[in-house]
Amino acid sequence: MSVLTIKNLSFNYPNNSILKNINIHVDQGEIVSILGGSGVGKTTLFNLIAGINELQSGTIEIQGDSNFKGKVSYMLQKDLLLEHKTVIQNIILPLLIKKVNKKEAEAEAIKNLKLFNLYDYKDKYPSELSGGMRQRVALLRTYMFKEELFLLDEPFSALDAITKISLHSWYLDICKKFNLTTLLITHDIDEAIDLSDRIYIIKNKPGEIISEIKVQLNGENVDEQKLIYKREILKLLGLQI
């Protein structure tokens, strides 16, 4: 079942074409990456899906509905946690915005803190958390919006390599546990390969989808399989390994 379907989408600012004829889909339970360099329109595409920018041409549907605005959970690169609020106070904000009773919101937050293995941190402030832990909390807060599609805009890019690997493993486990559907922006080829079921390569100005790669890692020699995918992607991007 397709959660997100985009057909023939183009977008322009005055005297500046940003996106050209974008066609992508994300199915239930998939992690799909939009991979490309800076300035090719990745964040603009997310802002269109989130309804921040007005759609100019083409169609966006979420679960077959063209009335898509407000139907995604959107997490930006910065965690945007409120420093004066504890972890649990940050996490209940999406429910309070939706007018859920505070006691009900706290009960729901506690349940999910346990499921996300974050319960021990519920009374800590963001300043007391590591970078990786802050991102976990931010991801849980994003989940609390309870929308069908996660939009993640380079959420792991500021982390060191070891923390990033750990968080990738954690997020894959969370996605499997909750059957989450994710569209991820990244410029990190290794990250896209590690996390994704499929990768869309976006290139040029205006940005165009130049290729779709289905990632299947299995059996032995996984590192060798990853290297093959990386070489293919670098070739598509006009780069060398």
Side-chain angles (χ1 to χ4, degrees):
M1 175 183 174
S2 182
V3 172
L4 173 70
T5 304
I6 297 177
K7 294 181 179 178
N8 306 319
L9 182 150
S10 296
F11 185 84
N12 305 300
Y13 290 115
N15 302 315
N16 189 10
S17 296
I18 306 299
L19 295 167
K20 180 180 178 182
N21 197 34
I22 302 296
N23 291 273
I24 66 172
H25 72 279
V26 183
D27 293 336
Q28 179 68 50
E30 278 193 310
I31 302 177
V32 175
S33 288
I34 305 288
L35 175 65
S38 299
V40 295
K42 301 188 300 296
T43 296
T44 298
L45 177 60
F46 265 31
N47 287 341
L48 287 163
I49 299 168
I52 297 169
N53 290 347
E54 289 293 328
L55 189 63
Q56 293 177 347
S57 66
T59 62
I60 298 174
E61 293 183 352
I62 293 181
Q63 292 187 315
D65 187 355
S66 59
N67 183 20
F68 61 90
K69 291 185 179 180
K71 294 183 178 179
V72 300
S73 298
Y74 191 178
M75 179 175 162
L76 302 173
Q77 182 175 349
K78 294 182 179 179
D79 59 58
L80 300 180
L81 297 176
L82 299 180
E83 299 293 339
H84 64 286
K85 291 184 178 291
T86 63
V87 165
I88 191 168
Q89 289 170 340
N90 269 282
I91 285 170
I92 65 173
L93 285 173
L95 298 180
L96 297 181
I97 290 169
K98 292 188 172 188
K99 308 299 184 184
V100 174
N101 174 277
K102 186 176 180 181
K103 285 188 177 180
E104 292 179 14
E106 288 177 344
E108 177 73 9
I110 287 171
K111 180 183 74 174
N112 285 295
L113 280 161
K114 291 176 179 177
L115 290 171
F116 275 62
N117 296 320
L118 293 171
Y119 181 76
D120 291 344
Y121 301 89
K122 69 181 179 68
D123 295 320
K124 292 187 178 296
Y125 288 89
S127 61
E128 300 177 90
L129 305 177
S130 67
M133 195 58 66
R134 289 179 67 111
Q135 291 302 92
R136 285 173 166 85
V137 172
L139 282 161
L140 174 51
R141 186 177 63 181
T142 303
Y143 171 77
M144 295 293 282
F145 279 100
K146 299 295 185 180
E147 301 298 345
E148 196 65 32
L149 178 66
F150 261 43
L151 298 181
L152 303 183
D153 188 351
E154 305 213 35
F156 313 118
S157 62
L159 303 174
D160 64 84
I162 293 174
T163 302
K164 187 182 290 191
I165 291 169
S166 173
L167 202 53
H168 286 172
S169 177
W170 176 84
Y171 189 67
L172 288 170
D173 287 342
I174 291 297
C175 285
K176 186 175 181 180
K177 183 182 292 185
F178 292 96
N179 195 31
L180 300 183
T181 304
T182 305
L183 185 61
L184 168 73
I185 284 177
T186 183
H187 62 264
D188 185 328
I189 295 173
D190 293 317
E191 178 171 87
I193 295 168
D194 286 343
L195 289 178
S196 307
D197 298 294
R198 289 184 296 113
I199 302 170
Y200 287 107
I201 309 296
I202 186 168
K203 189 181 176 183
N204 304 327
K205 292 186 179 182
E208 301 175 273
I209 301 295
I210 63 167
S211 186
E212 175 188 351
I213 297 172
K214 187 172 183 180
V215 180
Q216 293 180 310
L217 301 172
N218 48 63
E220 299 178 356
N221 302 318
V222 171
D223 288 341
E224 185 176 328
Q225 294 171 47
K226 289 180 180 181
L227 184 58
I228 292 170
Y229 282 118
K230 187 169 186 177
R231 284 173 173 158
E232 180 183 357
I233 291 167
L234 286 168
K235 184 178 180 180
L236 288 165
L237 292 171
L239 304 171
Q240 293 181 344
I241 191 168

